[in-house]
Amino acid sequence: MSLTIASVEAIALAAPFADLYDTVPDWLTTPASSHRVLPRLGQYTTLVRIRTVDGIEGIGECYGLPEPRVTATIVGTLLAPMLVGRDAGASEALWELMFGAQSGAGRTGGFYLEAISGVDLALWDLRGKAAGLPVHRLLGGPVRETVPVYASPIPFLPDVAESAERAHAFLDQGFRAMKLKLGRGEATDLAHASAVVDALAGRAALHVDLNCAYDVKTAIRLGQALDGLGVRWLEEPLATDDVAGLAEVRAAVRIPVVTGESEFSRYGYRDFLLARAVDVVMPNLARAGGITEARRIAALCDAFHVTVSPHGVGSAVGLAAALQFAAATPNVPIYEYNRLPNPLRDDLPLTKPSLVDGALAVPAGPGLGVALDESLIARYEVFRA
């Protein structure tokens, strides 16, 4: 069997919220404080298909926000020419080839690394299919066969009663942990957090995400107040690049401090680890270099006794990849299971994951273990490269 790459294709998908709602609610277009300037108008992703000369196909995903046609263009025009004719089984070598091609130009993050991520996930999917094994077996797993998850998010709802109602709904669906979006001012944040804590009544853990809304002093003050409510997770209280500030926050609060969904490689995470600024990091496999780089990030974090919880925004492909990665990585205790309306995550796969006892089963099929509805790909396609 030859694993020589014959073709690399990128498909940008868009599912506008306007197609899902007669009137799109504000909490959906502005699910976090960071979206006030650039509202989210839909769900987006870039699929990557890699085929070998023998017809084996792997599928991956590039992070699609805010515009999937950008990563599709990079895959189709920059990465594909590097890959065609090479051995798809040599994923480590191909990752270094792609990364090295732009490292001298300083393009080691952003859309370029998101494009590499989609290619890398497709290569792992292809290798698993060629071997007839799920990716977690290629990675040395499983260390777990189900992955605990938390529901994300309880968004910016207008009043505390609605936040409490959303928490009750997640409880009824079987979640044992959930995330509340904050970042609207201390008084508003504490009012919503208190309402959710009361609604949960100790039946589920509460995580909060401040989405970079505050300065150091405010974050410390709010973090200490949230600790008094029993909150167990303080995510992104500061600007994503404020490493020293985050170290101050971590030293001053007892709640585990979480960041990293906007980082792109082990080099960025290294700075947070050396500064002792973080308890949990959140790489998104569709933007942080795919499974190849996520393994390096996890190993680096483990050396600092820091856990990894993959960021959960994306399509069904990214979800399957995160579950495969978590199944083979000891220091991944929980995964963010995003529950905002998203047909690219929920409708695209032919088999939907089920939540049992607060956890998702790891796909057992070869590769990433996800098969997609081709008619829906055609429906949501906006660009192909």
Side-chain angles (χ1 to χ4, degrees), residues 3-5 50 52 86-91 94 123-124 126-127:
L3 292 184
T4 302
I5 296 172
I50 299 179
T52 69
R86 295 184 182 271
D87 179 7
S91 57
L94 294 180
L123 289 170
W124 279 101
L126 192 156
R127 290 177 64 197

Side-chain angles (χ1 to χ4, degrees), residues 4 17 29 47 51-52 96-97 124 132 135 170 186 211 242 245 267 330 333 350 364 372:
T4 302
F17 292 142
T29 58
L47 299 180
R51 295 183 180 91
T52 69
E96 294 297 332
L97 174 72
W124 279 101
V135 164
F170 283 147
E186 291 175 78
N211 280 113
D242 191 356
Y267 306 113
L350 297 178
L372 304 181

Side-chain angles (χ1 to χ4, degrees), residues 57-328:
E57 179 183 283
I59 189 161
E61 175 186 359
C62 311
Y63 191 75
L65 290 167
E67 174 49 72
R69 283 168 282 210
V70 177
T71 44
T73 299
I74 294 171
V75 171
T77 62
L78 297 181
L79 301 183
M82 299 183 208
L83 300 171
V84 172
R86 295 184 182 271
D87 179 7
S91 57
E92 190 84 21
L94 294 180
W95 198 98
E96 294 297 332
L97 174 72
M98 293 183 288
F99 187 79
Q102 287 295 319
S103 61
R107 298 186 182 94
T108 55
F111 291 116
Y112 187 75
L113 202 62
E114 289 167 357
I116 290 177
S117 304
V119 169
D120 184 77
L121 294 179
L123 289 170
W124 279 101
D125 185 45
L126 192 156
R127 290 177 64 197
K129 289 172 179 173
L133 294 170
V135 164
H136 69 263
R137 293 301 302 271
L138 300 184
L139 297 173
V143 296
R144 57 182 65 85
E145 296 182 351
T146 63
V147 178
V149 299
Y150 64 90
S152 174
I154 301 170
F156 279 175
L157 296 170
D159 59 65
V160 295
E162 290 182 84
S163 290
E165 182 180 349
R166 190 65 62 93
H168 278 297
F170 283 147
L171 281 174
D172 291 342
Q173 293 166 27
F175 287 99
R176 296 179 178 177
M178 61 194 68
K179 179 189 287 182
L180 170 65
K181 291 285 189 180
L182 299 179
R184 291 186 283 181
E186 291 175 78
T188 301
D189 285 354
L190 289 172
H192 282 263
S194 296
V196 171
V197 167
D198 290 344
L200 296 180
R203 291 172 289 174
L206 179 59
H207 302 178
V208 301
D209 185 357
L210 306 185
N211 280 113
C212 315
Y214 296 118
D215 59 21
V216 171
K217 290 182 178 180
T218 307
I220 290 172
R221 192 165 55 242
L222 183 57
Q224 291 171 343
L226 290 167
D227 178 52
L229 296 175
V231 171
R232 311 214 189 144
W233 171 293
L234 187 69
E235 182 178 335
E236 287 198 333
L238 312 178
T240 58
D241 60 354
D242 191 356
V243 179
L246 198 64
E248 287 186 60
V249 173
R250 183 172 181 258
V253 303
R254 296 191 302 174
I255 307 174
V257 171
V258 185
T259 196
E261 68 182 62
S262 299
E263 289 298 326
F264 292 99
S265 72
R266 77 203 94 135
Y267 306 113
Y269 291 99
R270 173 193 60 194
D271 295 341
F272 288 93
L273 295 168
L274 289 173
R276 298 290 183 180
V278 66
D279 296 287
V280 184
V281 302
M282 297 183 66
N284 188 310
L285 271 64
R287 76 184 318 188
I291 287 173
T292 297
E293 185 67 1
R295 296 178 76 193
R296 298 164 175 161
I297 292 166
L300 180 63
C301 287
D302 198 39
F304 286 82
H305 305 285
V306 166
T307 57
V308 177
S309 175
H311 181 234
V313 173
S315 80
V317 177
L319 169 58
L323 293 176
Q324 295 288 345
F325 169 70

Side-chain angles (χ1 to χ4, degrees), residues 4-66:
T4 302
I5 296 172
S7 64
V8 179
E9 181 180 54
I11 308 166
L13 305 182
F17 292 142
D19 293 348
L20 305 177
Y21 294 87
D22 293 331
T23 301
V24 180
D26 289 341
W27 59 260
L28 191 54
T29 58
T30 313
S33 59
S34 54
H35 290 101
R36 287 170 176 160
V37 175
L38 187 65
R40 283 184 64 171
L41 302 180
Q43 300 287 6
Y44 310 102
T45 196
T46 299
L47 299 180
V48 178
R49 292 188 189 273
I50 299 179
R51 295 183 180 91
T52 69
V53 294
D54 287 344
I56 304 172
E57 179 183 283
I59 189 161
E61 175 186 359
C62 311
Y63 191 75
L65 290 167

